[in-house]
Amino acid sequence: MSHGKDIKIICGNSNKPFAENVCRILGVRLSGSNVSTFSDGEIAVSLDDSVRGSDVFIIQSTCTPINDYLMEMLILVDACKRASAHRVTCVMPYFGYARQDRKAKARDPISAKLVANLIVAAGTDRVLAMDLHAAQIQGFFDIPVDNLAGASLFFDYFRQKFKGNMDDVIIVSPDIGSVARARAFALKMNLGLAIVDKRREKANHSEVMNIIGSVEGKRVILFDDMVDTAGSLCEAAKALVEKGGATEIYACASHGVLSGKSVERIEQSVVKEVIFSDTIPFSKGEPCEKIKYLTATPLFAEAIRRIFDEVSIASLFK
């Protein structure tokens, strides 16, 4: 038997509405599970439904509080394996610790590799994620990892927003590290590319913003994989207007981490609109009018369906 007898979808506490929407699209019921904590903070997990012989998909974004949600997912995997699940796939719309993918200085850990080891050691058979911060993280695992591309969500959104009038639109990478994904998005949109180059000339000196490429008189779409504190995003937007002469600034990213004063920074910035996918739920009280969300649930539902049916999902990477 190449796959389990049926699909069972389980979720932790990180993004239950996301899991419910995936189930609705697939036409299956979200399997019952109870994920709680004991009085001392230990996580307790119990499964309400039998998973014996099933293809189990555990949907859990490892967002804030990242360590709690990561531990929930690992314990759910262990519970499913001990209950004789045929195969367990960790569906991680947002993969936490992904930015710690290398040693930036001496005696640094590579935490993304450690997290990968924990996921494999728990008994996971496969991982499904979207827009990993660094593509090489796939190599940290000794199991298959499918890394979906969320750019198609933004492609459709901006095509409709600008009604096909894209002559004065340009894609901009907010930093050097995001050039590869911004270039791929620009090619998909058939638009030009510019880069914001941030440099610190010496310690305790203010950053100098250089713009590679012309954005004068253009409507700009800043494209990145995630927005955390929004500092880089807002600084880049300011430089594009004041130094580059851009007329309008839009931004999009797959993951809206939005820690600290990020929402306040976005509200006070020159950015007209910031678009995220719903891989991370918004948890900052009243949503900012500039922030909008697009759902990635159809993309994940299709990937889950193809994995269960043993059908290629290569087209979903593009």
Side-chain angles (χ1 to χ4, degrees):
M1 185 166 58
S2 59
H3 57 67
K5 62 183 181 182
D6 58 4
I7 288 180
K8 291 288 176 63
I9 295 181
I10 300 171
C11 73
N13 293 320
S14 71
N15 200 348
K16 189 174 182 179
F18 189 96
E20 290 173 338
N21 285 335
V22 169
C23 289
R24 179 181 53 80
I25 294 169
L26 289 173
V28 300
R29 182 178 63 87
L30 181 64
S31 294
S33 61
N34 184 25
V35 182
S36 58
T37 57
F38 292 111
S39 58
D40 64 351
E42 290 182 4
I43 293 171
V45 167
S46 62
L47 304 179
D48 297 337
D49 301 325
S50 171
V51 296
R52 184 177 296 272
S54 299
D55 237 350
V56 178
F57 295 84
I58 299 173
I59 299 179
Q60 180 86 327
S61 281
T62 48
C63 51
T64 304
I66 179 172
N67 297 323
D68 291 345
Y69 289 156
L70 176 60
M71 200 64 195
E72 282 183 13
M73 186 182 71
L74 296 175
I75 296 175
L76 281 168
V77 171
D78 185 71
C80 291
K81 297 299 286 190
R82 293 179 186 276
S84 301
H86 177 82
R87 180 172 63 177
V88 177
T89 300
C90 282
V91 181
M92 304 175 69
Y94 171 69
F95 183 91
Y97 283 103
R99 285 171 285 182
Q100 299 186 49
D101 62 314
R102 66 195 184 282
K103 293 185 69 169
K105 61 181 186 297
R107 295 177 294 279
D108 271 1
I110 304 180
S111 302
K113 171 58 175 169
L114 173 61
V115 170
N117 289 345
L118 289 171
I119 292 170
V120 174
T124 307
D125 298 294
R126 192 182 197 98
V127 170
L128 175 64
M130 187 174 84
D131 287 334
L132 291 170
H133 184 68
Q136 64 265 25
I137 290 174
Q138 290 177 282
F140 292 175
F141 291 85
D142 295 323
I143 56 176
V145 177
D146 297 313
N147 184 24
L148 303 177
S152 59
L153 303 175
F154 309 118
F155 174 84
D156 295 335
Y157 177 82
F158 284 111
R159 282 289 181 189
Q160 293 177 9
K161 183 176 186 63
F162 297 138
K163 296 180 172 58
N165 183 20
M166 309 286 283
D167 294 340
D168 63 339
V169 178
I170 189 170
I171 306 300
V172 174
S173 172
D175 53 47
I176 296 297
S178 300
V179 170
R181 65 174 57 92
R183 180 183 292 114
F185 186 57
L187 288 172
K188 181 177 178 65
M189 295 282 287
N190 196 26
L191 297 173
L193 176 69
I195 303 165
V196 175
D197 180 24
K198 298 179 297 182
R199 295 176 183 170
R200 191 175 295 276
E201 293 183 337
K202 59 182 179 181
N204 300 320
H205 191 273
S206 60
E207 288 186 341
V208 177
M209 308 288 290
N210 299 303
I211 300 169
I212 303 171
S214 176
V215 298
E216 187 172 359
K218 299 278 189 179
R219 290 180 290 177
V220 166
I221 300 174
L222 280 162
F223 183 78
D224 210 347
D225 67 315
M226 70 173 69
V227 173
D228 188 355
T229 63
S232 295
L233 174 73
C234 295
E235 288 173 6
K238 183 179 178 181
L240 288 165
V241 171
E242 295 182 355
K243 293 186 176 182
T247 57
E248 293 179 352
I249 308 293
Y250 299 87
C252 58
S254 296
H255 312 298
V257 180
L258 300 179
S259 63
K261 296 182 178 180
S262 55
V263 175
E264 182 181 338
R265 290 190 182 100
I266 291 171
E267 287 179 337
Q268 297 172 356
S269 72
V270 298
V271 180
K272 293 194 67 174
E273 201 172 65
V274 183
I275 315 299
F276 298 119
S277 73
D278 58 350
T279 56
I280 299 175
F282 187 84
S283 58
K284 294 285 185 179
E286 289 296 323
C288 169
E289 290 185 358
K290 291 185 177 182
I291 297 175
K292 295 184 179 179
Y293 284 86
L294 304 176
T295 184
T297 51
L299 183 63
F300 276 90
E302 179 63 15
I304 289 171
R305 184 190 65 78
R306 294 190 186 192
I307 289 171
F308 176 73
D309 291 339
E310 300 291 345
V311 175
S312 172
I313 65 172
S315 62
L316 302 182
F317 301 148
K318 298 178 181 178

